[in-house]
Amino acid sequence: SQQGEEDPQALSIQEGENATMNCSYKTSINNLQWYRQNSGRGLVHLILIRSNEREKHSGRLRVTLDTSKKSSSLLITASRAADTASYFCALTGGFKTIFGAGTRLFVKA
Amino acid sequence: DSGVTQTPKHLITATGQRVTLRCSPRSGDLSVYWYQQSLDQGLQFLIQYYNGEERAKGNILERFSAQQFPDLHSELNLSSLELGDSALYFCASSVEQMNTEAFFGQGTRLTVV
């Protein structure tokens, strides 16, 4: 299946700490994206990393991609209570973009 | 605000009925995607259209159908509804037909009773 698998399923940290979420997949991809979803609301695009890129930054976000291990990680530095949300990796191959089950992040103030 | 508009926001209907969900993509976006999100299934890809043509199909039931109109808005039709069809249905749009970020609407929460 093209679907990514996020790890961990849930993560609880203190404000100010870093949060790391991982995504593993099995098929070849064109790019990998990370999205965020606040409870019951629409998904918001965070970052896209292409298959020929290894690392990308956007503000407090850092994404890495290792195509040899078929895995990606999302690091949120200096987390804030407002970062509490579900985070999804999305794999794009051909016309489809398939989402993983997500990681629920809870940041305690 | 993502620029993607979905109507209605909430829908309650009985089993066996048929409903239509509507999506207006961002201005200039030619691609429209439909996803179903339920508690036990995560976010499931249903179908994608690009400039009026179907481009990809996911786990879409035969009771469901969709189309994209010349003005690029899209409709998802759900018929013979079952309790298990209760979910959040999201529409997303993007400029290109692949390999690009998608912008999501706020979803339609469908409850089948």
Side-chain angles (χ1 to χ4, degrees):
Chain A
S1 147
Q2 189 181 9
Q3 185 173 9
E5 295 181 8
E6 282 102 336
D7 168 58
Q9 289 184 332
L11 181 60
S12 181
I13 59 173
Q14 289 290 143
E15 205 167 28
E17 294 179 341
N18 295 340
T20 300
M21 289 159 265
N22 302 296
C23 173
S24 60
Y25 58 93
K26 295 179 180 176
T27 62
S28 60
I29 59 172
N30 295 324
N31 65 50
L32 187 146
Q33 305 177 53
W34 286 90
Y35 286 80
R36 164 194 167 131
Q37 182 183 33
N38 288 83
S39 180
R41 300 184 65 82
L43 280 74
V44 175
H45 183 266
L46 295 177
I47 200 165
L48 180 153
I49 186 165
R50 303 193 185 282
S51 58
N52 61 354
E53 297 176 312
R54 292 296 168 258
E55 188 170 311
K56 219 166 175 182
H57 296 255
S58 177
R60 294 184 295 112
L61 306 180
R62 173 178 168 252
V63 168
T64 62
L65 178 63
D66 187 334
T67 53
S68 65
K69 294 181 179 178
K70 290 186 166 55
S71 68
S72 172
S73 67
L74 170 67
L75 168 68
I76 303 174
T77 60
S79 63
R80 305 165 182 168
D83 294 329
T84 294
S86 291
Y87 293 82
F88 296 86
C89 69
L91 312 176
T92 299
F95 294 107
K96 293 183 183 181
T97 298
I98 306 297
F99 286 78
T103 292
R104 288 189 173 184
L105 173 65
F106 181 65
V107 182
K108 293 176 280 188
Chain B
D1 182 8
S2 66
V4 178
T5 304
Q6 288 188 249
T7 56
K9 291 184 180 176
H10 302 276
L11 197 49
I12 301 175
T13 189
T15 54
Q17 294 298 304
R18 171 190 170 95
V19 297
T20 297
L21 312 184
R22 182 187 169 100
C23 170
S24 294
R26 286 191 325 157
S27 177
D29 284 358
L30 299 179
S31 243
V32 170
Y33 312 77
W34 285 98
Y35 290 87
Q36 177 192 58
Q37 186 177 39
S38 51
L39 284 176
D40 58 349
Q41 294 291 325
L43 203 67
Q44 298 293 318
F45 169 69
L46 296 178
I47 198 164
Q48 180 200 358
Y49 283 85
Y50 179 79
N51 203 20
E53 293 189 13
E54 182 184 304
R55 275 287 180 262
K57 231 172 183 177
N59 300 322
I60 187 166
L61 300 173
E62 286 190 9
R63 299 184 286 109
F64 296 0
S65 65
Q67 55 183 326
Q68 186 180 27
F69 294 88
D71 67 352
L72 301 177
H73 91 271
S74 178
E75 292 181 355
L76 179 66
N77 300 296
L78 315 176
S79 62
S80 302
L81 285 167
E82 303 174 358
L83 295 177
D85 297 327
S86 296
L88 263 172
Y89 291 84
F90 287 105
C91 167
S93 73
S94 64
V95 173
E96 298 174 12
Q97 56 185 327
M98 64 169 77
N99 300 327
T100 185
E101 70 177 284
F103 295 84
F104 278 75
Q106 291 302 304
T108 292
R109 183 173 293 279
L110 173 67
T111 302
V112 182
V113 297

